[in-house]
């Protein structure tokens, strides 16, 4: 298969969008990201089974201007730790995702070199860890206060006219702008009803992350013009200054810029000025110039452990451990940037205690529990003293007898994954580096 040439003529972007090779590359990224069908119900596998036919049809429709993006399927996802708040996601059809992914392939090389070095979200070679570490360096330079700006429903409130105007500054081919405009205005379907989209860019569209950076790059440039130090990841922006007075002044000035110039809305309830140790950024907090998992992230993790280890479940222990591992390994890998590995150890200890409580609960009587502990090597006197007491299951799960019968290694042998040792290794490496420098 012929590979698309990324060194293309900017004045002929539309011809490249109609090129089957580019569309095929777009579908390849859609397939890699997976995802569910749009409103037409066509899955990635079904689309791929007739790929040549589908791409030829897309090419024909684009060239003849008969292409019309379908409304996206609206899905409301609860925000972590916020049962009454939802993130509105949109699921475009596979054919529309293919066109949008192709547009991203064409536009990203144009805009990427123009973006700020302080922007880390949805950019090649950049990630959350780099953003948090950059924030740590800024704090270490003496910027002890943070202006934490929360944009209210950012993706839902992007102004289409301003976005197209920003795109026009770099895109010579107006036909591409027309396709993007059609995509932005494609509409949303929920519960069988279609509503028009007069503003916003769909979360779930392959093109939206790039468009969001185009919008917020204007904020980045304004912050740089004012000489402010900041880190931004998507719509999560933290500005660092040296005093509370400077932070309050910055908050007022930047809020006026965002709402007056960018036509976005600052959530005043969630935005705040505070010492950096009181502000979370991408789930982390800078405490005494070191990186720690934020208290909010720890609390959400504790709630997730409780959700994965309910009382009275019919699931066997092995299945529970598999479900815990599926969540915890990803969570801990991300949060392993903490320089306080005991935070990971705290979560792991809570997991084991919840599982020990389940093992205690499975013994239908205290006599059965006593026999089980003795069988597992606990001295009879110790087992009797702690089991035949007024302690209930949760208290018993943290007794010496139960912990001896089911030590940490027992859970490891059952397949329970731990990450705190890796965190400790990371901590020792950091301390070694500090001493060397």
């Amino acid at each position: 298969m012929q590979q698309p040439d990324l060194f293309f003529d900017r004045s002929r972007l539309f011809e490249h969008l109609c090129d089957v090779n580019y569309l095929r590359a777009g579908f390849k990224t859609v397939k890699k990201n997976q995802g569910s069908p749009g409103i037409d119900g066509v899955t990635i596998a079904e689309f791929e089974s007739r790929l040549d036919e589908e791409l030829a049809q897309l090419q024909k429709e684009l060239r003849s201007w008969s292409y019309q993006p379908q409304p996206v399927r609206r899905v409301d996802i609860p925000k972590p730790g916020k049962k009454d708040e939802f993130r509105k996601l949109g699921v475009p059809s596979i054919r529309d995702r293919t066109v949008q992914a192709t547009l991203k392939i064409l536009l990203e090389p144009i805009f990427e070199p123009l973006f700020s070095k302080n922007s880390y979200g949805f950019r090649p070679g950049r990630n959350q860890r780099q953003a948090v570490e950059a924030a740590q360096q800024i704090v270490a330079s003496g910027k002890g206060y943070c202006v934490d700006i929360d944009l209210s429903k950012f993706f839902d409130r992007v102004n289409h006219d301003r976005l197209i105007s920003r795109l026009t500054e770099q895109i010579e081919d107006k036909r591409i702008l027309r396709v993007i405009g059609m995509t932005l205005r494609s509409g949303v379907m929920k519960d069988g009803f279609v509503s028009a989209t007069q503003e916003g860019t769909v979360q779930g569209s392959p093109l939206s992350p790039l468009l969001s950076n185009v919008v917020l790059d204007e904020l980045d440039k304004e912050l740089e013009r004012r000489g402010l130090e900041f880190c931004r990841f998507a719509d999560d922006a933290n500005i660092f200054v040296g005093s509370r007075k400077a932070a309050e002044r910055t908050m007022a000035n930047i809020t006026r810029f965002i709402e007056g110039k960018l036509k976005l809305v600052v959530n005043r309830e969630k935005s705040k000025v505070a010492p950096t140790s009181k502000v979370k950024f991408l789930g982390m907090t800078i405490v005494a110039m070191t990186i720690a998992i934020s208290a909010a992230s720890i609390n959400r993790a504790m709630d997730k452990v409780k959700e994965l280890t309910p009382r009275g479940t019919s699931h066997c222990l092995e299945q529970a451990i598999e479900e815990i591992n599926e969540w915890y390994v990803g969570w801990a890998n991300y949060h392993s940037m903490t320089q306080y590995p005991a935070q990971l150890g705290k979560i792991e200890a809570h997991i084991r205690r919840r599982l020990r409580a389940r093992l205690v609960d499975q013994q239908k009587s205290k006599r059965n529990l006593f026999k089980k502990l003795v069988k597992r090597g606990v001295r009879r006197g110790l087992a009797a003293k702690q089991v035949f007491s007024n302690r209930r299951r949760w208290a018993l799960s943290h007794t010496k007898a139960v912990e001896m019968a089911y030590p940490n290694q027992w859970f490891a042998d059952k397949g329970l994954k731990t990450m705190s040792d890796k965190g400790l290794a990371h901590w020792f490496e950091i301390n070694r580096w500090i001493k060397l420098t």
Side-chain angles (χ1 to χ4, degrees):
M1 182 189 75
Q2 181 183 353
Q3 295 298 316
D5 178 14
L6 295 183
F7 299 97
F8 38 71
D9 182 353
R10 291 190 186 185
S11 66
R12 295 176 54 81
L13 287 177
F14 185 73
E15 279 73 16
H16 296 308
L17 177 63
C18 297
D19 187 323
V20 168
N21 289 318
Y22 278 98
L23 290 170
R24 194 179 300 276
F27 172 75
K28 186 176 180 180
T29 65
V30 171
K31 181 182 177 181
K32 180 179 179 181
N33 293 329
Q34 291 301 305
S36 56
I39 63 170
D40 59 5
V42 176
T43 66
I44 291 175
E46 290 169 342
F47 191 90
E48 187 177 26
S49 69
R50 50 179 188 272
L51 185 59
D52 291 341
E53 178 185 343
E54 291 283 2
L55 297 184
Q57 181 63 27
L58 273 176
Q59 180 186 58
K60 178 181 177 181
E61 291 179 16
L62 286 165
R63 283 178 172 173
S64 65
W65 288 102
S66 61
Y67 170 73
Q68 183 61 50
Q70 297 175 313
V72 300
R73 179 169 61 85
R74 171 59 51 82
V75 180
D76 294 338
I77 306 296
K79 291 185 177 181
K82 302 173 183 177
K83 295 180 180 179
D84 297 329
E85 293 187 34
F86 296 86
R87 180 173 286 110
K88 296 179 179 179
L89 300 183
V91 184
S93 65
I94 305 303
R95 70 196 313 269
D96 290 337
R97 294 217 291 269
T98 298
V99 172
Q100 293 165 26
T102 307
L103 283 168
K104 182 184 177 185
I105 290 172
L106 295 171
L107 301 184
E108 193 168 64
I110 296 173
F111 287 96
E112 178 60 27
L114 306 176
F115 290 150
S116 168
K117 65 181 179 62
N118 301 300
S119 163
Y120 294 87
F122 310 130
R123 297 182 60 189
R126 290 180 163 240
N127 55 42
Q128 292 101 322
R129 182 183 290 269
Q130 292 171 340
V132 173
E133 290 174 349
Q136 179 190 25
Q137 292 177 10
I138 295 173
V139 173
S141 73
K143 301 294 192 297
Y145 278 83
C146 179
V147 179
D148 182 13
I149 295 179
D150 184 278
L151 298 178
S152 177
K153 300 179 180 178
F154 165 71
F155 284 92
D156 298 333
R157 287 179 166 149
V158 169
N159 184 284
H160 289 174
D161 291 339
R162 284 197 57 79
L163 172 56
I164 295 297
S165 176
R166 293 286 292 177
L167 293 171
T168 302
E169 294 175 11
Q170 302 300 326
I171 299 175
E172 301 175 23
D173 193 334
K174 307 305 180 186
R175 297 169 296 178
I176 287 291
L177 298 175
R178 181 178 170 186
V179 175
I180 294 173
M182 291 164 56
T183 298
L184 292 172
R185 296 187 297 271
S186 62
V188 173
M189 176 178 283
K190 184 178 181 182
D191 299 328
F193 294 96
V194 176
S195 56
T197 45
Q198 304 297 332
E199 61 181 0
T201 177
V202 174
Q203 288 191 75
S205 159
L207 188 59
S208 285
L210 176 62
L211 296 181
S212 71
N213 276 330
V214 170
V215 172
L216 292 174
D217 184 63
E218 194 170 359
L219 172 62
D220 296 343
K221 295 298 191 288
E222 178 66 14
L223 296 175
E224 290 171 350
R225 187 186 69 79
R226 294 171 184 249
L228 295 168
E229 295 191 72
F230 67 98
C231 291
R232 182 178 66 78
F233 192 97
D235 58 334
D236 196 347
N238 279 6
I239 307 167
F240 301 93
V241 295
S243 68
R244 177 175 287 278
K245 186 175 181 179
E248 290 172 347
R249 183 174 61 250
T250 299
M251 173 67 85
N253 292 338
I254 298 304
T255 296
R256 280 196 296 270
F257 175 82
I258 290 172
E259 296 187 337
K261 188 74 179 292
L262 302 187
K263 309 302 180 185
L264 298 171
V265 178
V266 174
N267 187 326
R268 285 165 172 75
E269 292 184 2
K270 295 183 179 179
S271 299
K272 63 180 178 179
V273 166
T276 57
S277 61
K278 302 295 183 181
V279 175
K280 65 180 178 68
F281 180 49
L282 302 176
M284 310 302 288
T285 300
I286 312 299
V287 180
M289 294 183 288
T290 59
I291 299 171
I293 305 172
S294 71
S297 294
I298 291 287
N299 291 337
R300 283 198 297 268
M302 291 293 200
D303 290 341
K304 184 65 176 181
V305 172
K306 185 176 181 179
E307 176 188 324
L308 292 170
T309 55
R311 290 193 63 177
T313 179
S314 59
H315 291 180
C316 64
L317 183 69
E318 288 74 16
Q319 184 176 350
I321 288 175
E322 184 179 340
E323 292 173 355
I324 291 167
N325 286 342
E326 186 177 347
W327 161 73
Y328 181 66
V329 170
W331 186 92
N333 271 326
Y334 173 75
H335 290 91
S336 66
M337 70 178 87
T338 179
Q339 293 168 347
Y340 297 89
Q343 291 184 298
L344 297 177
K346 178 181 179 180
I347 302 298
E348 292 167 8
H350 188 59
I351 291 171
R352 288 189 293 266
R353 185 174 180 185
R354 294 282 304 182
L355 293 176
R356 288 188 183 106
R358 172 184 289 189
L359 291 167
V360 168
D361 209 29
Q362 287 175 349
Q363 306 304 314
K364 300 304 181 183
S365 68
K366 290 197 171 186
R367 181 173 295 279
N368 286 351
L369 177 60
F370 168 76
K371 291 179 179 179
K372 187 72 172 181
L373 297 183
V374 171
K375 185 177 180 180
R376 293 199 54 78
V378 180
R379 298 191 321 274
R380 295 179 65 88
L382 176 62
K385 179 180 179 181
Q386 296 187 343
V387 170
F388 297 113
S389 65
N390 291 326
R391 293 186 179 99
R392 300 177 71 86
R393 64 183 290 277
W394 184 243
L396 282 170
S397 68
H398 196 40
T399 58
K400 184 177 181 180
V402 173
E403 290 178 347
M404 286 178 63
Y406 301 102
N408 294 359
Q409 187 58 48
W410 186 84
F411 290 102
D413 292 341
K414 289 288 185 181
L416 186 66
K417 303 291 185 183
T418 59
M419 304 294 288
S420 55
D421 289 343
K422 294 181 182 180
L424 286 167
H426 178 60
W427 172 247
F428 292 139
E429 180 63 24
I430 289 170
N431 278 320
R432 185 183 72 82
W433 181 83
I434 290 172
K435 291 175 182 177
L436 289 175
T437 54

